[in-house]
């Protein structure tokens, strides 16, 4: 009994709990206690997911969503870092940028999806733009706050030893910013996929969001659950990769 409660076997307990939940869900569905129109059994969801891969029609949609999400993620990180560094080091830039970013951070940015569709069309550009704006605002405040919270005594020591602004950026600010950005990388990945899927849900011809919209319009709950599960698995895999990257790059910390 004690061995089962060992913290090292937490994953076993989680798998058992998940298995029991799925078994109860399946049993309730088979007994007619659940309406399959709203809550299909796990076996039906699995069949819907297997069907997507069996005929190969899922791959163009995965490619579309991945391209939009990763494109927006990369652009958002680069622009967010550059703007965050500039705002943190140059008071005039902070005076101009901080109010704009605060407004963007205050409103639900996903409501910009229809506007991006009007501006950029239903192609991949509008999905990249939405992913970009979600990630860029997050990374901007991450970098801006990270630099502002650097220990002032450390900065003063570098300056006292003859260091210039470039030395401060290389040896003080960049290590601090790297830790903050990597610490929020998982959140940024989630935002990027949220932007891509929401943009596809609003208007698209390909992508997982488009398939979700199709499943909703046809009242295909099994397909919706299958797509949600697929998105969850994909994002969790990326989270795992981001976690390993974070541990590798921050091993000095």
């Amino acid at each position: 009994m004690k061995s089962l409660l060992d913290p090292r076997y937490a994953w076993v307990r989680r798998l058992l709990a998940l298995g029991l939940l799925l078994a109860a869900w399946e049993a309730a569905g088979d007994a007619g206690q659940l309406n399959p129109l709203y809550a299909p059994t796990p076996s039906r969801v699995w069949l819907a997911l297997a069907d997507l891969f069996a005929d190969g029609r899922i791959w163009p949609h995965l490619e579309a969503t991945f391209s939009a999400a990763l494109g927006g993620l990369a652009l958002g990180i680069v622009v967010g870092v550059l703007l965050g560094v500039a705002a943190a080091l140059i008071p005039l830039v902070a005076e101009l940028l901080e109010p704009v970013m605060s407004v963007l951070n205050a409103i639900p940015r996903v409501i910009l999806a229809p506007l991006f569709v009007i501006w950029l069309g239903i192609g991949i550009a509008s999905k990249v733009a939405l992913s970009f704006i979600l990630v860029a605002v997050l990374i901007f405040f991450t970098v801006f706050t990270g630099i502002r919270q650097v220990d002032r005594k450390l900065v003063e020591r570098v300056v006292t030893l003859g260091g210039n602004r470039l030395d401060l950026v290389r040896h003080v600010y960049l290590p601090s910013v790297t830790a903050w950005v990597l610490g929020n990388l998982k959140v940024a990945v989630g935002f990027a996929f949220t932007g891509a899927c929401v943009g596809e849900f609003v208007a698209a011809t390909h992508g997982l969001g488009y398939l979700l919209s199709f499943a909703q319009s046809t009242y295909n709950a099994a397909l919706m659950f299958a797509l949600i599960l697929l998105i969850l698995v994909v994002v969790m895999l990326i989270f795992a990769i981001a976690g390993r990257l974070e541990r590798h790059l921050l091993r000095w910390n």
Side-chain angles (χ1 to χ4, degrees), residues 77 81 138-151 172-188 246 249-250 252-253:
I77 289 175
V81 167
L138 169 69
I139 297 300
F140 169 82
F141 280 110
T142 298
V143 172
F144 183 71
T145 304
I147 292 179
R148 286 290 182 91
Q149 292 191 359
V150 168
D151 188 351
V172 178
Y173 294 136
L174 278 182
S176 175
V177 164
T178 300
W180 279 73
V181 170
L182 289 175
N184 283 278
L185 186 58
K186 292 180 181 179
V187 181
E246 178 183 352
L249 294 178
L250 297 182
W252 55 271
N253 194 354

Side-chain angles (χ1 to χ4, degrees), residues 152-170:
R152 303 312 302 173
K153 293 181 180 179
L154 178 59
V155 174
E156 291 169 1
R157 286 171 188 164
V158 173
V159 173
T160 302
L161 292 172
N164 54 29
R165 176 160 290 191
L166 181 59
D167 293 323
L168 286 173
V169 171
R170 288 177 56 192

